[in-house]
Each structure stands twice: as C-alpha cells, then as structure tokens.
Amino acid sequence: MLPWKRVLRPLAALLLTAAVAVVPAATTAQAAETAAAPSSGWNDYNCKPSAAHPRPVVLVHGTFANSVDNWLGLAPYLKDRGYCVFSLDYGQLPGVPFFHALGPIDKSAEQLSAYVDKVLAATGAAEADLVGHSQGGMMPRYYLKFLGGAGKVNALVGIAPNNHGTTLSGLTNLLPYFPGAEDLLSAATPALAQQVVGSDFMTKLNAGGDTVPGVRYTVIATKYDEVVTPWRTQFLTGPDVKNVLIQDLCAVDISEHALIGITDRIAFHEVANALDPAHARPTTCASVFS
C-alpha cells in the first residue's frame, strides 16, 4: 500500500484538475496578455448610469477565473445595451497570478463589499446589480446576508452558481477515504474546500434561508453542468426568486458549466431580462442572434 502522503497528492491534484479543466485556461503567457488587455470599455469609472439602466452592473468571476477572462463575452454584451459594467478580481492567493477566487470565501465577500462601495461612489448610484458565474454567483450571497450588502444591491443573477455545495460529479465523495485530504484542500485552496457539499461554510451560508429581503434573485443553470452537481442544487428557495434551466428556453443548448457563463448568448439574454424585468423579452434559441 502506498503511504498516505503519496496518495493525498494525486487526489488533491485530481480535484484541482477537474475544476481547472472546465475553465478555458490559457498558457501563463496568454493569461498575462489577456489580463493586461483593455477590457473593451467596461470598468470605466466615468460611466454614469442612464435613466433606462440606473444601476451599475458588477460582474463577479468564478473559481480559477479573473476579472477579464470570465467576462470577454458578457461584459461587452451588457455595455452595448447601455449598462455601466464593472468587474473585480478577488480571492487571490499569494504567488498565484491570473487564477483567482481560491482564497477564503468570507474574505472574498469583504473584497466584493469594498468594490461595490467603490463603484457606487464613482457612479453616484444608490444600488448596484450583481451578476456572477459559478462561485461568483454564490459568494455575493455571503455579502448580502452577513456584510450589509442587501441595502446596496437590487438584484443578484447567478450563472451556474454553487449555492448549496457541489459533489464535483461525485469526486468529493472520495474525500473521506483519504484521511487528511480535506485539511490539505483547506490549507492550499480554501475556497475549493468551502464549496464542497456539507462544508461548514455552506451550512452557515444557507442556515435560516437562501435569500434576504429586498433583493431579487435569478439563477440560470444548465443540466449539463459537470462542476456544480447535482445541477438542481444551484436553485434557490425564497421570495423574489426566479430559477431558470437554460434547456427549458432552448432545448438544443448544450452549454456546460464554463460555456454558460463565458460564451452562451442565450444565457446572456436571460441575464439582460433579469436586470431589466420590466422590458424583458422571451428568451429562445433565436436569442443567440439578438
């Protein structure tokens, strides 16, 4: 039998690799070039919200992503429709460039809180709308629930959000068979351990209900999600909640966890509806051309 330490390393690597594999990761050089590239007009602190779109939109990236790569599709989509759009980096680990949202989620929520304050001060708006992918659709719930964010946020739109913990397609079920594996994950990448189903963080986040008063919630999920599993656990329960399965809008949409947030214009169309429900238009397969 192999020594435990020699077994733990491959297990941790397996969990990390499974998560990284669904993110369109570039080489380090390519990631550096992308992260340094202009963000196509978003993050413009001179932008003032219009009467039609009176709230700035803050985009919250997912695990292993960053404020540019995650939003190369959605940020221009929303900006072209007249929104003031902003995105932040959060959850950075020392010595790990470009791949973020790995630090403790409660600390990431503090970073989001400070960033929302910065955006509101720059734009003069009283409230913001938040749109997040994966961890970025869940982490803001901590901000809303525990850090006073409910008074500063009108709506939270989660794209494939990990709202109730994930089994990572069953891989997390292996952890009890490897003593020390959970401690290893917690030490190396706290946000990964906190997102496992049944974690202390998830228990605290969802205790007493999924939502807080005064905020509208939208969840956009895909049944082909292989990261946040089972996919139905993404849905929220509570007042002012709209849960959407993208295949109910377009049966032939085969986007999985990464693509639904990065390239899926059908999902983008539903995001726009969630941000402006008074002017929502039906989302169909044809929405990919809108």
Side-chain angles (χ1 to χ4, degrees):
M1 180 178 293
L2 291 172
W4 281 116
K5 288 185 179 180
R6 292 180 61 190
V7 178
L8 289 176
R9 290 192 184 98
L11 175 63
L14 178 63
L15 291 171
L16 292 173
T17 302
V20 173
V22 299
V23 178
T27 64
T28 301
Q30 290 170 325
E33 182 179 348
T34 301
S39 51
S40 302
W42 79 89
N43 283 339
D44 176 5
Y45 288 92
N46 293 315
C47 186
K48 300 300 179 184
S50 65
H53 301 304
R55 292 174 299 275
V57 178
V58 175
L59 303 178
V60 190
H61 64 74
T63 309
F64 290 107
N66 60 62
S67 61
V68 176
D69 292 346
N70 208 146
W71 306 120
L72 291 173
L74 183 58
Y77 181 95
L78 294 176
K79 189 173 185 303
D80 288 347
R81 283 153 181 77
Y83 288 92
C84 291
V85 181
F86 301 86
S87 62
L88 78 157
D89 286 306
Y90 71 90
Q92 300 92 331
L93 290 180
V96 181
F98 316 120
F99 304 106
H100 302 319
L102 296 172
I105 298 175
D106 54 330
K107 299 302 181 183
S108 294
E110 293 176 5
Q111 291 179 274
L112 174 62
S113 177
Y115 190 78
V116 170
D117 286 348
K118 177 182 177 180
V119 169
L120 293 181
T123 60
E127 292 182 313
D129 289 326
L130 308 180
V131 179
H133 180 211
S134 191
Q135 182 188 157
M138 170 274 290
M139 177 272 280
R141 292 180 50 225
Y142 191 96
Y143 163 56
L144 299 177
K145 195 169 189 177
F146 299 111
L147 301 180
K152 302 174 184 179
V153 173
N154 169 71
L156 169 61
V157 184
I159 307 171
N162 186 11
N163 278 323
H164 296 98
T166 179
T167 68
L168 199 59
S169 296
L171 284 176
T172 60
N173 295 330
L174 298 175
L175 288 173
Y177 297 98
F178 295 86
E182 292 178 81
D183 292 338
L184 180 63
L185 275 180
S186 296
T189 52
L192 292 184
Q194 289 176 316
Q195 291 184 80
V196 172
V197 64
S199 71
D200 290 343
F201 176 85
M202 283 294 171
T203 299
K204 176 180 179 179
L205 177 64
N206 293 306
D210 292 346
T211 64
V212 296
V215 179
R216 291 189 295 104
Y217 296 81
T218 301
V219 173
I220 304 170
T222 171
K223 67 181 182 181
Y224 299 112
D225 200 310
E226 76 285 28
V227 175
V228 182
T229 58
W231 64 262
R232 290 178 181 83
T233 62
Q234 299 174 26
F235 287 165
L236 297 173
T237 301
D240 293 322
V241 169
K242 181 181 180 182
N243 293 313
V244 178
L245 179 64
I246 203 74
Q247 283 77 28
D248 287 341
L249 306 177
C250 177
V252 298
D253 190 327
I254 59 173
S255 290
E256 41 65 71
H257 183 79
L259 294 183
I260 193 175
I262 297 173
T263 64
D264 191 332
R265 289 178 66 92
I266 296 170
F268 295 174
H269 190 273
E270 195 62 14
V271 169
N273 282 345
L275 294 176
D276 188 7
H279 298 95
R281 295 175 295 134
T283 300
T284 68
C285 294
S287 298
V288 71
F289 303 108
S290 64

